[in-house]
Amino acid sequence: MSGRGAVRVGVGGPVGSGKTQLVEALLPLIEAAGLRTAVITNDLVTVEDAERVRRSGLIDPALVVGVETGACPHTAIREDPSMNQAAALRLEEDHGPLDLLLLESGGDNLAATFSPELVDYWIYVIDTAAGDDIPRKGGLGVLQADLLVVNKIDLAPHVGADLDRMRADVARARPARPSLFTSLRGPGGADHVFEELCRSALFQDVPQA
Ligand SMILES: Nc1nc2c(ncn2[C@@H]2O[C@H](COP(=O)(O)OP(=O)(O)O)[C@@H](O)[C@H]2O)c(=O)[nH]1
Ligand SMILES: [Mg+2]
């Protein structure tokens, strides 16, 4: 997929797992690294996530686009990604050159995947509060994403999630693929995700701040 500009990174996962939080936590790291990025969000019938990111002050609001996907956000990122592709092209034409494009999927079930036509790399975000049996149950995101993020580890003790068991289940489900356990609301919560992104998707060393 080289030669078409920005590296496209998909961020998928169930509603509430921390996808927008991850995008917001990555933006300052991307900027500090001197990289230019834009954000596309996929909501059902609103552009709420896009508005949230625009208002965050973390990125030029013109570089954030919300795609209204109707009832099926996973269709828009998997079977018919044309709306997202058009949004990506428009962003690159109007604001390019960009190094990176972050595409957040809307509320998805555990089987949602990104089309390889749409993204170069995809991150799947789950969280401890949604149940510590999710990694064991598998699902395409858990099994196939380029990077699995298990978020909200700060909540694990409060919701009775067994992190050791989750780590063991993740290792079993993804023997050859990376995974990271995060607390994205805390300081530095996305540092390791950014490092992995640089290594795997951007093919460059992590710039030292
Ligand atoms: N305690 C805790 N809350 C988090 C964490 N990450 C996200 N949240 C909260 O979880 C909620 C859902 O996050 P959001 O990013 O909107 O989820 P999305 O639907 O996947 O985009 C928000 O209230 C976040 O502040 C975390 O690591 N720890
Ligand atoms: Mg969101």
Side-chain angles (χ1 to χ4, degrees):
M1 308 225 178
S2 56
R4 73 172 187 193
V7 174
R8 296 181 187 177
V9 174
V11 180
V15 177
S17 60
K19 298 180 295 297
T20 308
Q21 188 80 40
L22 176 60
V23 168
E24 290 174 337
L26 285 173
L27 288 175
L29 303 176
I30 292 166
E31 187 178 19
L35 300 170
R36 292 200 74 230
T37 193
V39 177
I40 296 174
T41 65
N42 285 263
D43 287 323
L44 299 174
V45 287
T46 66
V47 286
E48 257 178 60
D49 275 356
E51 276 160 19
R52 170 172 154 192
V53 177
R54 272 189 213 114
R55 277 197 310 266
S56 69
L58 297 168
I59 185 170
D60 175 352
L63 292 170
V64 183
V65 168
V67 172
E68 279 184 41
T69 54
C72 288
H74 51 274
T75 304
I77 59 166
R78 183 175 52 199
E79 280 125 39
D80 180 14
S82 55
M83 285 165 84
N84 278 277
Q85 277 161 337
L89 283 177
R90 205 170 325 119
L91 273 169
E92 294 209 64
E93 269 168 30
D94 294 350
H95 302 284
L98 300 170
D99 300 297
L100 188 60
L101 250 171
L102 297 173
L103 294 100
E104 178 186 340
S105 82
D108 285 326
N109 59 43
L110 287 173
T113 54
F114 279 93
S115 162
E117 284 170 43
L118 182 60
V119 301
D120 303 297
Y121 183 90
W122 67 293
I123 303 172
Y124 198 70
V125 184
I126 59 174
D127 74 279
T128 64
D132 61 7
D133 53 353
I134 288 183
R136 192 168 43 79
K137 287 181 181 162
L140 290 176
V142 169
L143 296 172
Q144 293 180 359
D146 294 300
L147 173 63
L148 176 69
V149 170
V150 182
N151 188 32
K152 306 192 191 178
I153 56 172
D154 55 305
L155 293 184
H158 306 290
V159 295
D162 182 342
L163 276 183
D164 288 338
R165 181 180 141 184
M166 289 186 94
R167 286 184 202 279
D169 288 343
V170 163
R172 206 170 304 119
R174 305 169 51 82
R177 293 172 197 255
S179 55
L180 290 168
F181 284 63
T182 59
S183 179
L184 288 172
R185 281 223 308 210
D191 287 359
H192 293 304
V193 178
F194 183 59
E195 284 164 20
E196 183 58 35
L197 198 58
C198 286
R199 247 196 315 270
S200 305
L202 302 174
F203 308 111
Q204 64 173 39
D205 291 333
V206 181
Q208 298 303 314

